[in-house]
Amino acid sequence: MANQSLLSVVAMEGKNEKEVAGNPHMADEDTSLIADHSCTKQPAKHVKHIKGKTYETTNKILAIIRQRGDIYRRGRSLTIIRDNTLLPLSAAGLDYILGQEMQFNSTRYKDGMIVDECIDPPSRALKQILENIEIHDLEDLNAVITAPVITRQGRYIYQPGYDTETKLFLAMADVCDALPFEVTPDQVHDALRFLMSPFKDFSMASPLDRSALLALLLTAIVRPILPTAPAGGIDAPVQGSGKTLLAECIGTLATGTFPTVYPHVNSKNADEEIRKRLQAIMSSGTDAVIWDNVIGDFNSTTLAGLLTSSTYTDRLLGTSKEIQLPNRFLLIFTGNNLTFTGDMPRRVLTCRIDAGIENPATRRFDRCPKTFVQNNRQNLVIAGLTLIRAYLESDDCKTGGAVPNESTASFSDWDYLVRQTVAWIAKIMGESEYVDPAKAFKQLVSSDPELQTLGEMLSLLQVLTKGEWFTAKDLLRHLAAPPPEHLHIANDLRDSLQDLAGNRKIETSLSLGKVLSYRVDRHTNGKVLKKQQAGNKLAFKVVSSIKAEEQF
């Protein structure tokens, strides 16, 4: 018996992984050879582990993982699909899953004989897989979707399972309904009417807000296919307007389940708290998030960067390790009189609800829109995809777009599939109903209080410095002892600079230089701040936007 066990080890080592994986009869033969009578319950698969050859065990495990169809590489981590959601796999999780499906065996000496014994999955093999995930030949996964989607090239993804081109996994039991190949005008009108029907009781403030809502619905439908997409913003003048309810409807359309609602972060260390929250969201594979009840002027460099990146990258909190994951989640802000500053305005597509009454919370909906969206989600998705396909087939799309020679910075695929589709619908329906939704970005940028303060600061700065080059030290001297005729200008300029600096006090030329440097090349009110190196110092100058284009 001992000799047979030893021969089985030699026989296994003489056969490479591809031979075993490609020949089921050989796999069965090897299983019978390494099986040991001491293992009372035999899993379907067996793996022989030999001390000193852990890499071979690792390769065998990887071969089995590839055959499963539910374990994928997601960024720099391993993840498994469970109940249509993504679960990250730790060493303990992978140990448990492998232990359920396969029996690991090793040989040892016992009473002078070589015998086989059952062992747990070797920890070193698990470590080789999880800590070197980038080098292994595994399928990458961007997201799990539960409804069909359409690509920029017009390819309709409706077959359940993994799609190698988009790296999406469609988790559906049955094949979805087909889209019409040639969409008729009547089908466009019917699809638009049905898609917007759950939201008829939400009073949109203007055609632009209705267009932004339609764009957010289409964004929710195709978000997994988009490398980047703007966040949504649901705005209203007062509480009780239905902002969170509308956001939940959009999130439910995106995922088929009610989205996670997080309260707004409003603290001195807000950006650090936001980093922690985002890491939890991205690591868990959450597909839609509502950032509820934003208060005051809101800016976040962390969120602004994430919204324009197809990949989330950050240091794993509490360690020196880096986490990297695909970014396909939908973010929706809600708030009364939403105000975004810094880089946020051009990254948030906002629609405004205005019921036009003192207490909108007393209104009654004909039906619960959230329940309707959940119960009719697949049909609503098909309606949205029908609109996108109709645009992709249109002459406008083939000749440069509904809004030609223009795109939305940082969101090119979103612009092509969503913005242009809504702008094309506006051409069909008329601007009394819909308009180009990208106008909502411009509206939000123009209402950015920081941009308004910057415009005031540049005008005052140009007068005080007489349009000449100056250093931060020069400006501090001007502010400390201005000419009598410029005293009010200096006071107003000091206030504007402090508003731009926020909580940071401007007490030195270094702190003032940082405030100025951050605003270089931002155009507003026909003016722009330029900078150049003057010896070992930075010099600044306010010029007109036209002159800036000619001179710099």
Side-chain angles (χ1 to χ4, degrees), residues 505-516:
K505 290 184 178 181
I506 301 176
E507 297 176 335
T508 64
S509 58
L510 179 62
S511 59
L512 177 57
K514 288 181 179 179
V515 173
L516 295 173

Side-chain angles (χ1 to χ4, degrees), residues 215-224 226 228-233 246-255 259-260 262 278 281-282 285-291 303 306-307 327-333 349 414:
L216 289 177
L217 297 178
L218 295 180
T219 302
I221 291 170
V222 298
R223 179 64 187 98
L226 302 173
T228 58
L246 180 55
E248 286 178 323
C249 289
I250 297 171
T252 303
L253 180 63
T255 66
T260 306
Y262 287 96
L278 285 178
I281 290 170
M282 300 302 296
T286 302
D287 296 317
V289 168
I290 296 174
W291 205 279
L303 280 172
L306 180 63
L307 288 170
N327 173 20
R328 292 295 187 276
F329 91 112
L330 178 69
L331 178 61
I332 306 173
F333 298 100
L349 186 69
W414 176 87

Side-chain angles (χ1 to χ4, degrees), residues 198-202 241-242 245 360 363-369:
F199 313 102
K200 62 183 181 63
D201 290 330
F202 292 98
S241 300
L245 177 60
R363 291 177 305 152
R364 294 189 64 180
F365 288 84
D366 291 340
R367 62 186 175 194
C368 176

Side-chain angles (χ1 to χ4, degrees), residues 76 134 312-316 319-324:
R76 293 177 181 171
E134 301 101 325
Y312 166 78
T313 304
D314 203 350
R315 180 178 55 81
L316 193 61
T319 72
S320 59
K321 295 181 179 179
E322 187 178 74
I323 183 174
Q324 188 177 88

Side-chain angles (χ1 to χ4, degrees), residues 87-101:
L87 297 176
L89 278 176
S90 62
L94 185 57
D95 186 318
Y96 177 75
I97 288 170
L98 294 176
Q100 280 185 313
E101 288 206 359

